[in-house]
Amino acid sequence: MFKEIFVFELKQWIKRPGIYIYFGLFLVLSFLIGALIGGLFTGISTDTNSYINASATISGILTSFSTDYLLGLITLLICVSLMAGCVQKDFQNNCFSFYFTKPISKFDYLIGRFSASFLLTFFVLTAIILGIFLAFLFSPNDNGQIGPFSFINFFKPFMIFLVPNAFLIGAIFFSLVTYTRNMTSGYVGSLVFIVVAGISRSITGDIDNKTFSAFIDPFGQQALELVTEYWTPSEVNTRLVPFSSYILYNRLFWIGLALALILFTYFRFSFNQFLNPVSIFRRKSKQSTSQPSKGIQSIGHLPKVTQLFNFKLAWFQTVFLTKFEFTKITRSVFFYIVIALSMLLTVLMLKYSALIYGTVTYPLTYLAIETGSGIFRFFLLILVIFYSGIVIWRERDSKVDELVGASPIGNGVLFISKYLSLVFLCLTVYAVCIITCILFQAYSGYYHFEIGLYLSELIGLRILPVLILVGLSVSLQVFFKNRYFAYFAVVIFVLGLPLIFNAFGYKNDALSFNSDGPQLRYSDMNGHGHTLINFFVYKFYWLGFVVIVATLAALMFHRGRENAFKTRWKLARNQFKRSYKIVMILGMISFLGCGSIIIYNTRILHPYKSEKQIEKEAIEFEKMYKKYEKELQPRVVESNLKVDIFPDKLGCEIKGYYYLKNKYKEPIKRIFLNMPVETKRSVYSLSNKYKVFLKDTANGFNGLELANALLPGDSL
């Protein structure tokens, strides 16, 4: 039966569009990364003595698909969706009893399912190699950064790093979910290894930990860096990444662990486990008895009920359901494990990032916030993505969606309660971040905690990004029929689009979701400087966008058995009443108003120029004025400047003089001045008589011709 189960699984997946969507997603991402490195779209390629298509370079790119927070999260989600429910789906579809009556062995059933899923994962991952190869193939080779193409340079890193990493993630998820029949355990197990990879990177701040880091990194990136650390550019260009030394030990250990998990699951699994699953997360349930209802003899004994559908009732329902959803989330073991992992990684990062060449520095509050919020923000993204699917699909997973759909509760109440529960979840996470940073400061002997700064940074300012992120995540779960597609949509929208824009050399914060806008790094001296207003303009711009999307999601909230988008849209149009219209108008005002301010500042007042455009202008400048390249110019031998700085006006005034001296043996007739084009007023003069023969205001380039040539040794 192994062959039949194996082929059946393959046929099931081949008929689904998901497998091709995953393949295309990896193909596009890897192609964009390769294009960014090779300068395919921007025309700006990497300036390096090493080939970007060398074995070591390809290995580094492939390991990033497991270790990078964006790419690693996408890879994790795709592997999980392919391996999810190899066995669990039989229980979800209520067909598990079928296997009690058929002569199917454990090996055929488990290994057949796992082998088919892993083969499909292998197929999807080949898109990464194909995308990188195509990007390098079509990239310009202006500075010789692309060497001769060799199949082994791509294939060997793929087999050493990417395939074992996918096998490891798949084995963990498959084993935990099959053994416990609990999807949450699979998410936790997979997430733990991403955290372990982060820990292995963080401890390399101490050079003595590099060997240990190379061994414990589940994805082999630290082992690769340790082996190739001292390779010369010539060695990088000619040598293949060896399957020996630290790389061999690392791969054998983690592949062995993955095989051990599969074997453990195989020997412990039994078909009657469908009825009595093992759960490492289950609490002991207490036996409870309910009091029987009082018998009703006639209709006249029924209590009289007055139905009220007003704002007070809607408020009560919203508060009650928000509390219910928030309680369900915070009682989940997955939540506690993610919080524990966040705290552990934050403490390690704070400890090792405080070392500067072995010297311990003070854990200043703004530095602690910078490090802690960065780590917690990543895990917060995971929590929001994961729980947005949980809260929206909770009724359907529990098979009570029709009962809830028939209850006298408005779509807005159901949607807002789920939305608010995730907002409170995010605020709870940031509160834990504050406590973690303060405890670390106290442990380090630093007691200047600056509680106000913690609250303003992690609660006050972070509430707006939270409102925006949660709104998008919950809304997309409403729009999509498949929660995994919604997961991918959130990741691509939040993290993928900036990567795509970078690949094309295009930077526009107005298109980068939940962008903070141009910001100065916070410091104790300047605070946020003059850029804090940018933060609020961009946040209200994106908040307005999310309000529009969330209003549509609330109108289309899933109720009943209607799944077709067209039907739900028709129902939404019928429910588009005054309250929804007001919210929609407010969202449009915020979105369009702040968007207009952003466009005026970035396109009219301060026109944006891409890197390619700047390079093109530099080329044109060089073509126009290269004829003056060899003209002798006097040298500055003395300067005296008076600079008045006006921080409130973001400007300064500079007055003074330069002494210019002719240090050559030939007289100088013409002098060229470069003036900053940003200055509002530029006045200059020479002590000798002159006339202006060239004035290029756009480039700030001026040419002055002296009435009397500056003789050798003379100055002005």
Side-chain angles (χ1 to χ4, degrees), residues 41 86 103 121 134 137 146 157 173 224 307 315 318 332 337 342 367 373 407 442-443 505 543 574 615 664 681:
F41 300 119
C86 286
T121 305
L134 291 175
L137 186 65
I146 301 177
F173 195 87
L224 172 67
Q307 293 184 338
W315 173 257
T318 302
S332 168
I337 291 178
S342 305
L367 294 176
S373 63
S407 61
Y443 172 78
L543 186 61
N574 295 332
E615 186 181 39
Y664 301 98
R681 180 169 173 264

Side-chain angles (χ1 to χ4, degrees), residues 601-639:
N601 277 274
T602 58
R603 292 294 181 269
I604 299 175
L605 194 59
H606 306 287
Y608 167 79
K609 294 181 181 179
S610 65
E611 292 184 8
K612 194 169 185 178
Q613 187 176 358
I614 293 173
E615 186 181 39
K616 184 178 179 180
E617 290 180 356
I619 293 172
E620 294 298 325
F621 181 84
E622 185 176 343
K623 287 180 179 179
M624 287 190 294
Y625 301 120
K626 189 174 178 61
K627 56 187 177 182
Y628 301 124
E629 178 184 16
K630 295 185 179 180
E631 289 213 19
L632 300 179
Q633 293 294 290
R635 307 294 293 273
V636 177
V637 294
E638 183 183 340
S639 65

